[in-house]
Amino acid sequence: MFEVRKSIKRFRDNPAWTYRKRARDYLATCDDHGYPFSLGPDGARIDNLLQGAVQGQEVSLFHLLAWKRAGGPYQPNVAWPYSVAVLPLPRALPATAFTSNRLASSAREEKLPALNPATGPVRNLPDLGTHLVRHVTTDPDFAALINSYALERLMHDAKLGWRIEGNRMIGWTSGRKTYEDLLTITDTLTTIINGFPEQAWNWPGVM
């Protein structure tokens, strides 16, 4: 925790980054019915929002507290911490979520949605790829197009989940990470995006 606090101070004091302790307005732009926001069915809060440019792309980095009741109706809410990076995409793509099994192995992830069903008919694809990653999408053909063993191995090693929300990618992992670690996650997400085949950027039917 001490290392995380020192990391926040380093980035907060860096004029290349814009820092906000709380960011309800930014949270309101995110679909709270998809990972990792849906992992807090009793509410979510963004802490320590940092916004700046990485390799010429505007990115947002933050910690997320996702509340879920610990037990029965008289039990207190427990805040599960996550670390999140949000990157822009060149265009909107089909709603799709890939989640490392190292993240999705607990009961709370299994019972809560990776994608908002309101985005369209959502399908789990248990036969796509390997046992390393779980796949959920509104467009199975698109998910199959962008998937690869290299992508899944990268996600597994990084203990990473991500989903496409319109024209941005939301990547996340469990726990409160340093912002140096979040930059590493940003690099991994950039590698994944750059690995999408050209056909993905010409995919029909997404506005």
mmCIF file of all heavy atoms in Angstrom, residues 41-91:
data_model
loop_
_atom_site.group_PDB
_atom_site.id
_atom_site.type_symbol
_atom_site.label_atom_id
_atom_site.label_comp_id
_atom_site.label_asym_id
_atom_site.label_seq_id
_atom_site.Cartn_x
_atom_site.Cartn_y
_atom_site.Cartn_z
ATOM 1 N N PRO A 41 -22.044 -4.779 -7.541
ATOM 2 C CA PRO A 41 -23.498 -4.601 -7.706
ATOM 3 C C PRO A 41 -24.113 -3.653 -6.693
ATOM 4 O O PRO A 41 -25.221 -3.171 -6.894
ATOM 5 C CB PRO A 41 -24.037 -6.023 -7.537
ATOM 6 C CG PRO A 41 -22.987 -6.744 -6.750
ATOM 7 C CD PRO A 41 -21.690 -6.162 -7.194
ATOM 8 N N ASP A 42 -23.403 -3.382 -5.607
ATOM 9 C CA ASP A 42 -23.905 -2.439 -4.610
ATOM 10 C C ASP A 42 -23.253 -1.064 -4.737
ATOM 11 O O ASP A 42 -23.339 -0.245 -3.826
ATOM 12 C CB ASP A 42 -23.695 -2.996 -3.199
ATOM 13 C CG ASP A 42 -24.517 -4.253 -2.963
ATOM 14 O OD1 ASP A 42 -25.681 -4.280 -3.397
ATOM 15 O OD2 ASP A 42 -24.002 -5.209 -2.372
ATOM 16 N N GLY A 43 -22.603 -0.817 -5.874
ATOM 17 C CA GLY A 43 -22.020 0.504 -6.116
ATOM 18 C C GLY A 43 -20.542 0.431 -6.435
ATOM 19 O O GLY A 43 -19.861 -0.564 -6.153
ATOM 20 N N ALA A 44 -20.032 1.474 -7.065
ATOM 21 C CA ALA A 44 -18.619 1.546 -7.437
ATOM 22 C C ALA A 44 -18.139 2.977 -7.293
ATOM 23 O O ALA A 44 -18.925 3.927 -7.365
ATOM 24 C CB ALA A 44 -18.414 1.057 -8.868
ATOM 25 N N ARG A 45 -16.832 3.115 -7.083
ATOM 26 C CA ARG A 45 -16.233 4.446 -6.946
ATOM 27 C C ARG A 45 -14.860 4.441 -7.593
ATOM 28 O O ARG A 45 -14.085 3.499 -7.424
ATOM 29 C CB ARG A 45 -16.101 4.820 -5.466
ATOM 30 C CG ARG A 45 -15.614 6.250 -5.244
ATOM 31 C CD ARG A 45 -15.434 6.538 -3.760
ATOM 32 N NE ARG A 45 -14.168 6.047 -3.255
ATOM 33 C CZ ARG A 45 -13.898 5.820 -1.961
ATOM 34 N NH1 ARG A 45 -14.848 6.019 -1.055
ATOM 35 N NH2 ARG A 45 -12.713 5.382 -1.579
ATOM 36 N N ILE A 46 -14.579 5.512 -8.326
ATOM 37 C CA ILE A 46 -13.254 5.705 -8.901
ATOM 38 C C ILE A 46 -12.411 6.522 -7.934
ATOM 39 O O ILE A 46 -12.850 7.553 -7.431
ATOM 40 C CB ILE A 46 -13.351 6.410 -10.263
ATOM 41 C CG1 ILE A 46 -13.852 5.434 -11.332
ATOM 42 C CG2 ILE A 46 -11.993 6.997 -10.679
ATOM 43 C CD1 ILE A 46 -14.043 6.073 -12.692
ATOM 44 N N ASP A 47 -11.201 6.066 -7.685
ATOM 45 C CA ASP A 47 -10.214 6.806 -6.905
ATOM 46 C C ASP A 47 -8.994 7.093 -7.776
ATOM 47 O O ASP A 47 -8.605 6.265 -8.603
ATOM 48 C CB ASP A 47 -9.757 5.998 -5.681
ATOM 49 C CG ASP A 47 -10.793 5.967 -4.568
ATOM 50 O OD1 ASP A 47 -11.726 6.793 -4.598
ATOM 51 O OD2 ASP A 47 -10.670 5.120 -3.670
ATOM 52 N N ASN A 48 -8.393 8.261 -7.555
ATOM 53 C CA ASN A 48 -7.074 8.574 -8.124
ATOM 54 C C ASN A 48 -7.057 8.442 -9.648
ATOM 55 O O ASN A 48 -6.263 7.700 -10.216
ATOM 56 C CB ASN A 48 -5.997 7.672 -7.507
ATOM 57 C CG ASN A 48 -6.002 7.753 -5.997
ATOM 58 O OD1 ASN A 48 -5.966 8.839 -5.424
ATOM 59 N ND2 ASN A 48 -6.078 6.605 -5.332
ATOM 60 N N LEU A 49 -7.938 9.180 -10.301
ATOM 61 C CA LEU A 49 -7.983 9.181 -11.759
ATOM 62 C C LEU A 49 -6.813 9.998 -12.306
ATOM 63 O O LEU A 49 -6.640 11.166 -11.965
ATOM 64 C CB LEU A 49 -9.301 9.782 -12.241
ATOM 65 C CG LEU A 49 -9.429 10.002 -13.750
ATOM 66 C CD1 LEU A 49 -9.437 8.679 -14.499
ATOM 67 C CD2 LEU A 49 -10.700 10.808 -14.068
ATOM 68 N N LEU A 50 -6.031 9.372 -13.148
ATOM 69 C CA LEU A 50 -4.931 10.030 -13.839
ATOM 70 C C LEU A 50 -5.193 9.951 -15.335
ATOM 71 O O LEU A 50 -5.497 8.876 -15.867
ATOM 72 C CB LEU A 50 -3.601 9.360 -13.509
ATOM 73 C CG LEU A 50 -3.008 9.722 -12.142
ATOM 74 C CD1 LEU A 50 -2.080 8.630 -11.655
ATOM 75 C CD2 LEU A 50 -2.262 11.051 -12.232
ATOM 76 N N GLN A 51 -5.074 11.093 -16.017
ATOM 77 C CA GLN A 51 -5.296 11.137 -17.451
ATOM 78 C C GLN A 51 -4.127 11.827 -18.122
ATOM 79 O O GLN A 51 -3.663 12.881 -17.681
ATOM 80 C CB GLN A 51 -6.618 11.869 -17.768
ATOM 81 C CG GLN A 51 -7.834 11.107 -17.254
ATOM 82 C CD GLN A 51 -9.135 11.826 -17.506
ATOM 83 O OE1 GLN A 51 -9.393 12.874 -16.921
ATOM 84 N NE2 GLN A 51 -9.983 11.263 -18.364
ATOM 85 N N GLY A 52 -3.650 11.206 -19.185
ATOM 86 C CA GLY A 52 -2.508 11.748 -19.907
ATOM 87 C C GLY A 52 -2.294 10.957 -21.182
ATOM 88 O O GLY A 52 -3.115 10.112 -21.562
ATOM 89 N N ALA A 53 -1.204 11.244 -21.865
ATOM 90 C CA ALA A 53 -0.910 10.612 -23.147
ATOM 91 C C ALA A 53 0.186 9.575 -22.988
ATOM 92 O O ALA A 53 1.195 9.810 -22.316
ATOM 93 C CB ALA A 53 -0.501 11.658 -24.173
ATOM 94 N N VAL A 54 -0.020 8.422 -23.607
ATOM 95 C CA VAL A 54 0.978 7.357 -23.671
ATOM 96 C C VAL A 54 1.121 6.969 -25.135
ATOM 97 O O VAL A 54 0.143 6.566 -25.767
ATOM 98 C CB VAL A 54 0.560 6.137 -22.825
ATOM 99 C CG1 VAL A 54 1.566 5.012 -22.987
ATOM 100 C CG2 VAL A 54 0.423 6.515 -21.357
ATOM 101 N N GLN A 55 2.320 7.126 -25.677
ATOM 102 C CA GLN A 55 2.585 6.844 -27.084
ATOM 103 C C GLN A 55 1.590 7.590 -27.986
ATOM 104 O O GLN A 55 1.090 7.062 -28.970
ATOM 105 C CB GLN A 55 2.527 5.333 -27.356
ATOM 106 C CG GLN A 55 3.566 4.543 -26.586
ATOM 107 C CD GLN A 55 3.497 3.054 -26.861
ATOM 108 O OE1 GLN A 55 2.963 2.616 -27.891
ATOM 109 N NE2 GLN A 55 4.043 2.256 -25.964
ATOM 110 N N GLY A 56 1.295 8.845 -27.611
ATOM 111 C CA GLY A 56 0.432 9.681 -28.413
ATOM 112 C C GLY A 56 -1.050 9.420 -28.250
ATOM 113 O O GLY A 56 -1.866 10.077 -28.903
ATOM 114 N N GLN A 57 -1.423 8.470 -27.358
ATOM 115 C CA GLN A 57 -2.828 8.146 -27.137
ATOM 116 C C GLN A 57 -3.254 8.614 -25.754
ATOM 117 O O GLN A 57 -2.532 8.408 -24.772
ATOM 118 C CB GLN A 57 -3.052 6.629 -27.233
ATOM 119 C CG GLN A 57 -2.777 6.049 -28.599
ATOM 120 C CD GLN A 57 -4.024 6.086 -29.483
ATOM 121 O OE1 GLN A 57 -4.945 6.869 -29.255
ATOM 122 N NE2 GLN A 57 -4.059 5.223 -30.483
ATOM 123 N N GLU A 58 -4.425 9.240 -25.669
ATOM 124 C CA GLU A 58 -4.951 9.637 -24.375
ATOM 125 C C GLU A 58 -5.435 8.406 -23.613
ATOM 126 O O GLU A 58 -6.194 7.595 -24.151
ATOM 127 C CB GLU A 58 -6.112 10.621 -24.552
ATOM 128 C CG GLU A 58 -5.676 11.991 -25.037
ATOM 129 C CD GLU A 58 -4.776 12.713 -24.040
ATOM 130 O OE1 GLU A 58 -5.058 12.641 -22.830
ATOM 131 O OE2 GLU A 58 -3.804 13.339 -24.486
ATOM 132 N N VAL A 59 -4.972 8.256 -22.384
ATOM 133 C CA VAL A 59 -5.374 7.116 -21.570
ATOM 134 C C VAL A 59 -5.857 7.616 -20.214
ATOM 135 O O VAL A 59 -5.507 8.713 -19.769
ATOM 136 C CB VAL A 59 -4.214 6.108 -21.373
ATOM 137 C CG1 VAL A 59 -3.708 5.607 -22.713
ATOM 138 C CG2 VAL A 59 -3.074 6.724 -20.577
ATOM 139 N N SER A 60 -6.681 6.798 -19.581
ATOM 140 C CA SER A 60 -7.164 7.073 -18.231
ATOM 141 C C SER A 60 -6.807 5.889 -17.348
ATOM 142 O O SER A 60 -7.054 4.736 -17.720
ATOM 143 C CB SER A 60 -8.683 7.277 -18.228
ATOM 144 O OG SER A 60 -9.043 8.394 -19.023
ATOM 145 N N LEU A 61 -6.216 6.185 -16.197
ATOM 146 C CA LEU A 61 -5.786 5.157 -15.247
ATOM 147 C C LEU A 61 -6.431 5.455 -13.902
ATOM 148 O O LEU A 61 -6.447 6.599 -13.464
ATOM 149 C CB LEU A 61 -4.259 5.160 -15.092
ATOM 150 C CG LEU A 61 -3.409 5.190 -16.365
ATOM 151 C CD1 LEU A 61 -1.929 5.319 -16.002
ATOM 152 C CD2 LEU A 61 -3.640 3.945 -17.208
ATOM 153 N N PHE A 62 -6.937 4.436 -13.228
ATOM 154 C CA PHE A 62 -7.552 4.690 -11.927
ATOM 155 C C PHE A 62 -7.700 3.406 -11.125
ATOM 156 O O PHE A 62 -7.542 2.291 -11.651
ATOM 157 C CB PHE A 62 -8.918 5.363 -12.080
ATOM 158 C CG PHE A 62 -9.908 4.656 -12.967
ATOM 159 C CD1 PHE A 62 -10.760 3.687 -12.456
ATOM 160 C CD2 PHE A 62 -10.007 4.977 -14.317
ATOM 161 C CE1 PHE A 62 -11.680 3.048 -13.266
ATOM 162 C CE2 PHE A 62 -10.927 4.347 -15.129
ATOM 163 C CZ PHE A 62 -11.765 3.382 -14.610
ATOM 164 N N HIS A 63 -7.983 3.590 -9.848
ATOM 165 C CA HIS A 63 -8.380 2.499 -8.971
ATOM 166 C C HIS A 63 -9.892 2.506 -8.857
ATOM 167 O O HIS A 63 -10.512 3.568 -8.802
ATOM 168 C CB HIS A 63 -7.745 2.647 -7.586
ATOM 169 C CG HIS A 63 -6.257 2.540 -7.606
ATOM 170 N ND1 HIS A 63 -5.436 3.430 -6.944
ATOM 171 C CD2 HIS A 63 -5.433 1.652 -8.219
ATOM 172 C CE1 HIS A 63 -4.176 3.097 -7.137
ATOM 173 N NE2 HIS A 63 -4.143 2.028 -7.911
ATOM 174 N N LEU A 64 -10.473 1.321 -8.825
ATOM 175 C CA LEU A 64 -11.920 1.171 -8.699
ATOM 176 C C LEU A 64 -12.233 0.393 -7.429
ATOM 177 O O LEU A 64 -11.623 -0.655 -7.174
ATOM 178 C CB LEU A 64 -12.481 0.423 -9.906
ATOM 179 C CG LEU A 64 -13.997 0.205 -9.905
ATOM 180 C CD1 LEU A 64 -14.714 1.495 -10.284
ATOM 181 C CD2 LEU A 64 -14.394 -0.928 -10.834
ATOM 182 N N LEU A 65 -13.143 0.932 -6.637
ATOM 183 C CA LEU A 65 -13.682 0.202 -5.494
ATOM 184 C C LEU A 65 -15.080 -0.270 -5.868
ATOM 185 O O LEU A 65 -15.938 0.540 -6.219
ATOM 186 C CB LEU A 65 -13.734 1.087 -4.248
ATOM 187 C CG LEU A 65 -12.382 1.494 -3.655
ATOM 188 C CD1 LEU A 65 -12.585 2.369 -2.430
ATOM 189 C CD2 LEU A 65 -11.550 0.271 -3.301
ATOM 190 N N ALA A 66 -15.285 -1.591 -5.832
ATOM 191 C CA ALA A 66 -16.555 -2.190 -6.222
ATOM 192 C C ALA A 66 -17.162 -2.867 -4.998
ATOM 193 O O ALA A 66 -16.582 -3.798 -4.446
ATOM 194 C CB ALA A 66 -16.324 -3.204 -7.343
ATOM 195 N N TRP A 67 -18.343 -2.373 -4.605
ATOM 196 C CA TRP A 67 -18.953 -2.872 -3.374
ATOM 197 C C TRP A 67 -19.916 -4.014 -3.644
ATOM 198 O O TRP A 67 -20.714 -3.985 -4.583
ATOM 199 C CB TRP A 67 -19.714 -1.744 -2.668
ATOM 200 C CG TRP A 67 -18.840 -0.918 -1.787
ATOM 201 C CD1 TRP A 67 -18.441 -1.198 -0.512
ATOM 202 C CD2 TRP A 67 -18.236 0.334 -2.119
ATOM 203 N NE1 TRP A 67 -17.631 -0.195 -0.034
ATOM 204 C CE2 TRP A 67 -17.496 0.752 -0.998
ATOM 205 C CE3 TRP A 67 -18.266 1.135 -3.253
ATOM 206 C CZ2 TRP A 67 -16.778 1.946 -0.980
ATOM 207 C CZ3 TRP A 67 -17.550 2.316 -3.254
ATOM 208 C CH2 TRP A 67 -16.816 2.713 -2.121
ATOM 209 N N LYS A 68 -19.807 -5.025 -2.775
ATOM 210 C CA LYS A 68 -20.710 -6.169 -2.816
ATOM 211 C C LYS A 68 -20.975 -6.611 -1.391
ATOM 212 O O LYS A 68 -20.050 -6.688 -0.574
ATOM 213 C CB LYS A 68 -20.094 -7.319 -3.619
ATOM 214 C CG LYS A 68 -21.027 -8.491 -3.835
ATOM 215 C CD LYS A 68 -20.347 -9.542 -4.711
ATOM 216 C CE LYS A 68 -21.330 -10.644 -5.076
ATOM 217 N NZ LYS A 68 -21.845 -11.352 -3.898
ATOM 218 N N ARG A 69 -22.225 -6.884 -1.092
ATOM 219 C CA ARG A 69 -22.585 -7.302 0.264
ATOM 220 C C ARG A 69 -21.905 -8.614 0.605
ATOM 221 O O ARG A 69 -21.894 -9.562 -0.192
ATOM 222 C CB ARG A 69 -24.100 -7.426 0.398
ATOM 223 C CG ARG A 69 -24.567 -7.480 1.853
ATOM 224 C CD ARG A 69 -26.080 -7.349 1.940
ATOM 225 N NE ARG A 69 -26.551 -6.073 1.404
ATOM 226 C CZ ARG A 69 -26.501 -4.928 2.073
ATOM 227 N NH1 ARG A 69 -25.982 -4.881 3.295
ATOM 228 N NH2 ARG A 69 -26.943 -3.822 1.522
ATOM 229 N N ALA A 70 -21.297 -8.681 1.781
ATOM 230 C CA ALA A 70 -20.486 -9.835 2.171
ATOM 231 C C ALA A 70 -21.316 -11.077 2.432
ATOM 232 O O ALA A 70 -20.844 -12.197 2.255
ATOM 233 C CB ALA A 70 -19.665 -9.490 3.411
ATOM 234 N N GLY A 71 -22.554 -10.917 2.872
ATOM 235 C CA GLY A 71 -23.357 -12.080 3.196
ATOM 236 C C GLY A 71 -24.828 -11.757 3.133
ATOM 237 O O GLY A 71 -25.338 -11.307 2.112
ATOM 238 N N GLY A 72 -25.532 -11.962 4.253
ATOM 239 C CA GLY A 72 -26.965 -11.727 4.321
ATOM 240 C C GLY A 72 -27.297 -10.252 4.327
ATOM 241 O O GLY A 72 -26.424 -9.379 4.241
ATOM 242 N N PRO A 73 -28.587 -9.929 4.442
ATOM 243 C CA PRO A 73 -29.049 -8.533 4.342
ATOM 244 C C PRO A 73 -28.514 -7.625 5.436
ATOM 245 O O PRO A 73 -28.530 -6.408 5.274
ATOM 246 C CB PRO A 73 -30.576 -8.667 4.411
ATOM 247 C CG PRO A 73 -30.820 -9.986 5.051
ATOM 248 C CD PRO A 73 -29.692 -10.876 4.627
ATOM 249 N N TYR A 74 -28.055 -8.187 6.537
ATOM 250 C CA TYR A 74 -27.556 -7.363 7.644
ATOM 251 C C TYR A 74 -26.035 -7.343 7.703
ATOM 252 O O TYR A 74 -25.457 -6.836 8.654
ATOM 253 C CB TYR A 74 -28.140 -7.871 8.976
ATOM 254 C CG TYR A 74 -29.647 -7.832 8.989
ATOM 255 C CD1 TYR A 74 -30.380 -9.005 8.901
ATOM 256 C CD2 TYR A 74 -30.337 -6.620 9.034
ATOM 257 C CE1 TYR A 74 -31.770 -8.979 8.889
ATOM 258 C CE2 TYR A 74 -31.721 -6.583 9.029
ATOM 259 C CZ TYR A 74 -32.430 -7.768 8.945
ATOM 260 O OH TYR A 74 -33.804 -7.738 8.925
ATOM 261 N N GLN A 75 -25.392 -7.900 6.672
ATOM 262 C CA GLN A 75 -23.938 -7.893 6.610
ATOM 263 C C GLN A 75 -23.456 -6.610 5.934
ATOM 264 O O GLN A 75 -24.125 -6.062 5.064
ATOM 265 C CB GLN A 75 -23.426 -9.115 5.844
ATOM 266 C CG GLN A 75 -23.750 -10.440 6.509
ATOM 267 C CD GLN A 75 -23.066 -10.578 7.844
ATOM 268 O OE1 GLN A 75 -21.893 -10.256 7.976
ATOM 269 N NE2 GLN A 75 -23.809 -11.030 8.844
ATOM 270 N N PRO A 76 -22.268 -6.128 6.310
ATOM 271 C CA PRO A 76 -21.759 -4.900 5.680
ATOM 272 C C PRO A 76 -21.311 -5.149 4.245
ATOM 273 O O PRO A 76 -21.011 -6.273 3.848
ATOM 274 C CB PRO A 76 -20.563 -4.540 6.574
ATOM 275 C CG PRO A 76 -20.100 -5.856 7.119
ATOM 276 C CD PRO A 76 -21.356 -6.671 7.327
ATOM 277 N N ASN A 77 -21.277 -4.056 3.464
ATOM 278 C CA ASN A 77 -20.713 -4.135 2.125
ATOM 279 C C ASN A 77 -19.194 -4.223 2.199
ATOM 280 O O ASN A 77 -18.566 -3.636 3.077
ATOM 281 C CB ASN A 77 -21.101 -2.899 1.306
ATOM 282 C CG ASN A 77 -22.545 -2.951 0.862
ATOM 283 O OD1 ASN A 77 -23.256 -3.906 1.143
ATOM 284 N ND2 ASN A 77 -22.979 -1.917 0.165
ATOM 285 N N VAL A 78 -18.623 -4.974 1.289
ATOM 286 C CA VAL A 78 -17.174 -5.108 1.183
ATOM 287 C C VAL A 78 -16.736 -4.467 -0.126
ATOM 288 O O VAL A 78 -17.353 -4.697 -1.176
ATOM 289 C CB VAL A 78 -16.741 -6.585 1.228
ATOM 290 C CG1 VAL A 78 -15.253 -6.716 0.976
ATOM 291 C CG2 VAL A 78 -17.105 -7.212 2.564
ATOM 292 N N ALA A 79 -15.694 -3.665 -0.086
ATOM 293 C CA ALA A 79 -15.172 -3.001 -1.287
ATOM 294 C C ALA A 79 -14.034 -3.830 -1.867
ATOM 295 O O ALA A 79 -12.986 -3.988 -1.236
ATOM 296 C CB ALA A 79 -14.694 -1.595 -0.959
ATOM 297 N N TRP A 80 -14.241 -4.360 -3.070
ATOM 298 C CA TRP A 80 -13.193 -5.102 -3.768
ATOM 299 C C TRP A 80 -12.412 -4.115 -4.631
ATOM 300 O O TRP A 80 -13.003 -3.393 -5.443
ATOM 301 C CB TRP A 80 -13.805 -6.187 -4.643
ATOM 302 C CG TRP A 80 -14.566 -7.212 -3.870
ATOM 303 C CD1 TRP A 80 -15.909 -7.214 -3.608
ATOM 304 C CD2 TRP A 80 -14.034 -8.373 -3.243
ATOM 305 N NE1 TRP A 80 -16.243 -8.310 -2.856
ATOM 306 C CE2 TRP A 80 -15.119 -9.042 -2.616
ATOM 307 C CE3 TRP A 80 -12.752 -8.926 -3.146
ATOM 308 C CZ2 TRP A 80 -14.948 -10.231 -1.914
ATOM 309 C CZ3 TRP A 80 -12.591 -10.105 -2.450
ATOM 310 C CH2 TRP A 80 -13.679 -10.747 -1.840
ATOM 311 N N PRO A 81 -11.081 -4.058 -4.508
ATOM 312 C CA PRO A 81 -10.300 -3.093 -5.289
ATOM 313 C C PRO A 81 -9.834 -3.667 -6.634
ATOM 314 O O PRO A 81 -9.461 -4.835 -6.734
ATOM 315 C CB PRO A 81 -9.101 -2.827 -4.378
ATOM 316 C CG PRO A 81 -8.897 -4.114 -3.633
ATOM 317 C CD PRO A 81 -10.264 -4.734 -3.476
ATOM 318 N N TYR A 82 -9.869 -2.821 -7.634
ATOM 319 C CA TYR A 82 -9.375 -3.172 -8.963
ATOM 320 C C TYR A 82 -8.556 -2.003 -9.506
ATOM 321 O O TYR A 82 -8.718 -0.858 -9.070
ATOM 322 C CB TYR A 82 -10.539 -3.484 -9.913
ATOM 323 C CG TYR A 82 -11.367 -4.654 -9.464
ATOM 324 C CD1 TYR A 82 -12.527 -4.456 -8.711
ATOM 325 C CD2 TYR A 82 -10.986 -5.961 -9.754
ATOM 326 C CE1 TYR A 82 -13.286 -5.532 -8.274
ATOM 327 C CE2 TYR A 82 -11.738 -7.042 -9.318
ATOM 328 C CZ TYR A 82 -12.884 -6.821 -8.574
ATOM 329 O OH TYR A 82 -13.633 -7.888 -8.128
ATOM 330 N N SER A 83 -7.698 -2.317 -10.456
ATOM 331 C CA SER A 83 -6.905 -1.303 -11.146
ATOM 332 C C SER A 83 -7.282 -1.332 -12.618
ATOM 333 O O SER A 83 -7.365 -2.412 -13.223
ATOM 334 C CB SER A 83 -5.410 -1.580 -10.967
ATOM 335 O OG SER A 83 -5.048 -1.476 -9.599
ATOM 336 N N VAL A 84 -7.510 -0.139 -13.186
ATOM 337 C CA VAL A 84 -8.160 -0.047 -14.494
ATOM 338 C C VAL A 84 -7.388 0.907 -15.397
ATOM 339 O O VAL A 84 -6.919 1.971 -14.958
ATOM 340 C CB VAL A 84 -9.619 0.443 -14.338
ATOM 341 C CG1 VAL A 84 -10.326 0.446 -15.683
ATOM 342 C CG2 VAL A 84 -10.382 -0.418 -13.331
ATOM 343 N N ALA A 85 -7.291 0.530 -16.678
ATOM 344 C CA ALA A 85 -6.742 1.406 -17.714
ATOM 345 C C ALA A 85 -7.741 1.461 -18.862
ATOM 346 O O ALA A 85 -8.273 0.418 -19.281
ATOM 347 C CB ALA A 85 -5.401 0.876 -18.215
ATOM 348 N N VAL A 86 -8.014 2.658 -19.351
ATOM 349 C CA VAL A 86 -8.969 2.849 -20.447
ATOM 350 C C VAL A 86 -8.233 3.478 -21.617
ATOM 351 O O VAL A 86 -7.613 4.546 -21.473
ATOM 352 C CB VAL A 86 -10.153 3.727 -20.009
ATOM 353 C CG1 VAL A 86 -11.149 3.882 -21.165
ATOM 354 C CG2 VAL A 86 -10.849 3.134 -18.782
ATOM 355 N N LEU A 87 -8.312 2.820 -22.781
ATOM 356 C CA LEU A 87 -7.633 3.284 -23.988
ATOM 357 C C LEU A 87 -8.649 3.528 -25.096
ATOM 358 O O LEU A 87 -9.640 2.799 -25.200
ATOM 359 C CB LEU A 87 -6.621 2.244 -24.487
ATOM 360 C CG LEU A 87 -5.277 2.131 -23.792
ATOM 361 C CD1 LEU A 87 -5.420 1.594 -22.385
ATOM 362 C CD2 LEU A 87 -4.349 1.222 -24.602
ATOM 363 N N PRO A 88 -8.408 4.520 -25.948
ATOM 364 C CA PRO A 88 -9.303 4.741 -27.090
ATOM 365 C C PRO A 88 -9.056 3.719 -28.186
ATOM 366 O O PRO A 88 -7.949 3.183 -28.329
ATOM 367 C CB PRO A 88 -8.917 6.148 -27.553
ATOM 368 C CG PRO A 88 -7.462 6.264 -27.193
ATOM 369 C CD PRO A 88 -7.296 5.488 -25.912
ATOM 370 N N LEU A 89 -10.090 3.449 -28.968
ATOM 371 C CA LEU A 89 -9.980 2.626 -30.169
ATOM 372 C C LEU A 89 -10.239 3.510 -31.389
ATOM 373 O O LEU A 89 -10.958 4.507 -31.295
ATOM 374 C CB LEU A 89 -10.997 1.482 -30.131
ATOM 375 C CG LEU A 89 -10.818 0.454 -29.011
ATOM 376 C CD1 LEU A 89 -12.010 -0.503 -28.992
ATOM 377 C CD2 LEU A 89 -9.525 -0.310 -29.169
ATOM 378 N N PRO A 90 -9.684 3.150 -32.542
ATOM 379 C CA PRO A 90 -9.911 3.967 -33.741
ATOM 380 C C PRO A 90 -11.374 4.067 -34.151
ATOM 381 O O PRO A 90 -11.761 5.030 -34.811
ATOM 382 C CB PRO A 90 -9.088 3.242 -34.810
ATOM 383 C CG PRO A 90 -8.053 2.474 -34.052
ATOM 384 C CD PRO A 90 -8.710 2.074 -32.769
ATOM 385 N N ARG A 91 -12.188 3.080 -33.742
ATOM 386 C CA ARG A 91 -13.612 3.102 -34.088
ATOM 387 C C ARG A 91 -14.344 2.186 -33.122
ATOM 388 O O ARG A 91 -13.735 1.415 -32.371
ATOM 389 C CB ARG A 91 -13.849 2.635 -35.525
ATOM 390 C CG ARG A 91 -13.273 1.275 -35.830
ATOM 391 C CD ARG A 91 -13.957 0.584 -36.981
ATOM 392 N NE ARG A 91 -15.325 0.194 -36.632
ATOM 393 C CZ ARG A 91 -16.089 -0.575 -37.424
ATOM 394 N NH1 ARG A 91 -15.626 -1.017 -38.583
ATOM 395 N NH2 ARG A 91 -17.309 -0.897 -37.056
#
